[in-house]
Amino acid sequence: MAPHSSSCTPISGRARRTARAPFTARARRTSASAVPLSALLRLVAGFALAAALTACGSDAPGDTAPADESGAAEAPETPRSSDVPMVAVDDPTGVNAPAGFRALLPCADCPGIVTTLALEPDGSGTLTRRYLEGEPGRDPAFEEEGRWVADGPRTIAWTPADGGEGDRFLVFEGDLVLLARDGSEPTNRSPRLTRLPLGPMMELAATSWRFVDPEPAGGDAAVPSVRFGADGTLTGTDGCNAFRSNWSAPDEQALAIDALAGTRMACPPGAGVVALRATEALEAARGYRLENDGEALVLLDGAGEPIARLRPTL
């Protein structure tokens, strides 16, 4: 399911324009005395009628209508999938449920909160929050049920089932922008929850991870990390060089990552081996599992054996 770049030859739906020979009507040469006057008048009237019909049938001087060789009328072009609006016309909010959204939201005493909101067409939903490196003893993740309703044009309101304080979101470019509770207008700094792909990719989409095994080299080397984009792109660093690729989840907890493409800068001492192990693990991964309520991501090879371990990051 990973999006693969490919070159396609556009196919034109237009019928070929065929050259149409100009209509000419030549009267056979006959002797005037051999043709009765009444027949001559009928012949002249017929030519006049034919000329009038020809003039009415053209849209502009010199125009000819395109037609195929069989003479059938040209069929209207079929809209391409990219021309079809993403938002259903019967959903004024633009949520187009079922839908899932995810973002890393600010946290007062931790690096951030991975927040996932899943909305169903019947108005039900689930909000999951997972704290990154939170306080010892605190549950790193919790889930709440709730309801969502339209709350104005392109706006929805989320209300927890336990009656707690809810939130409002603006539907913007298919994503959800968290609105401030004081009613102030959203800005480009407002938290934005990215729309997730439905299906097996939803679990990893829009998440970021750092490698803990292989253990980072330390020193001046960056910690190897990777981000699974909601659009199927995969980006990250091996600790020395940035890389980019595509990823997909063909099935539940299955993983497919294309060959990585990256920069070729020299690595600090000791970082080259870690960088190689991290990139090799990504390219060899055929599956994964989440442990401890999403506190760890374990990459698995084709035999189901662990080959790398990662933790959530910003």
Side-chain angles (χ1 to χ4, degrees):
M1 291 177 58
H4 297 280
S5 61
S6 62
S7 60
C8 302
T9 303
I11 300 174
S12 172
R14 297 184 181 275
R16 291 178 300 167
R17 291 186 179 268
T18 56
R20 179 175 297 178
F23 172 76
T24 58
R26 295 185 180 178
R28 288 177 297 176
R29 295 183 181 272
T30 57
S31 170
S33 61
V35 180
L37 181 59
S38 58
L40 207 52
L41 290 176
R42 284 195 301 270
L43 183 61
V44 172
F47 286 159
L49 179 59
L53 291 176
T54 301
C56 292
S58 63
D59 296 330
D63 249 3
T64 57
D68 59 21
E69 294 179 352
S70 64
E74 182 180 356
E77 289 189 14
T78 303
R80 299 167 297 178
S81 58
S82 59
D83 297 332
V84 179
M86 293 180 61
V87 177
V89 294
D90 58 349
D91 183 359
T93 67
V95 169
N96 205 16
F101 305 86
R102 180 174 292 140
L104 183 66
L105 300 185
C107 176
D109 54 0
C110 70
I113 308 171
V114 179
T115 304
T116 305
L117 181 61
L119 305 178
E120 300 296 336
D122 63 359
S124 63
T126 305
L127 179 64
T128 304
R129 293 187 177 95
R130 178 162 47 83
Y131 291 82
L132 300 182
E133 303 175 9
E135 296 177 351
R138 180 172 66 182
D139 189 355
F142 69 90
E143 184 176 286
E144 69 179 24
E145 304 294 327
R147 303 286 301 177
W148 68 278
V149 296
D151 191 37
R154 315 292 290 181
T155 306
I156 66 170
W158 167 260
T159 304
D162 61 6
E165 188 174 17
D167 287 297
R168 297 174 66 248
F169 297 89
L170 173 69
V171 183
F172 179 72
E173 295 181 346
D175 299 336
L176 294 184
V177 177
L178 180 63
L179 298 176
R181 290 176 176 172
D182 61 8
S184 57
E185 291 294 320
T187 69
N188 57 1
R189 295 182 178 272
S190 300
R192 180 167 175 170
L193 282 70
T194 302
R195 181 181 291 269
L196 303 175
L198 299 179
M201 288 181 66
M202 185 174 182
E203 190 168 47
L204 284 183
T207 62
S208 299
W209 307 84
R210 58 180 175 84
F211 282 80
V212 295
D213 182 17
E215 185 177 354
D220 295 333
V223 176
S225 61
V226 62
R227 177 171 178 78
F228 294 88
D231 59 355
T233 57
L234 182 137
T235 55
T237 175
D238 61 9
C240 304
N241 290 279
F243 58 76
R244 185 179 183 87
S245 184
N246 296 311
W247 74 282
S248 65
D251 204 347
E252 295 293 335
Q253 295 194 322
L255 188 60
I257 298 176
D258 293 347
L260 306 181
T263 56
R264 299 287 184 179
M265 297 179 61
C267 292
V273 174
V274 176
L276 181 61
R277 289 184 59 193
T279 54
E280 285 181 342
L282 287 171
E283 292 183 336
R286 297 297 180 267
Y288 72 93
R289 67 170 179 258
L290 295 177
E291 297 180 347
N292 303 327
D293 291 323
E295 279 294 291
L297 168 65
V298 179
L299 299 182
L300 309 174
D301 63 15
E305 296 297 322
I307 53 177
R309 187 178 183 86
L310 302 89
R311 289 181 59 85
T313 187
L314 299 179

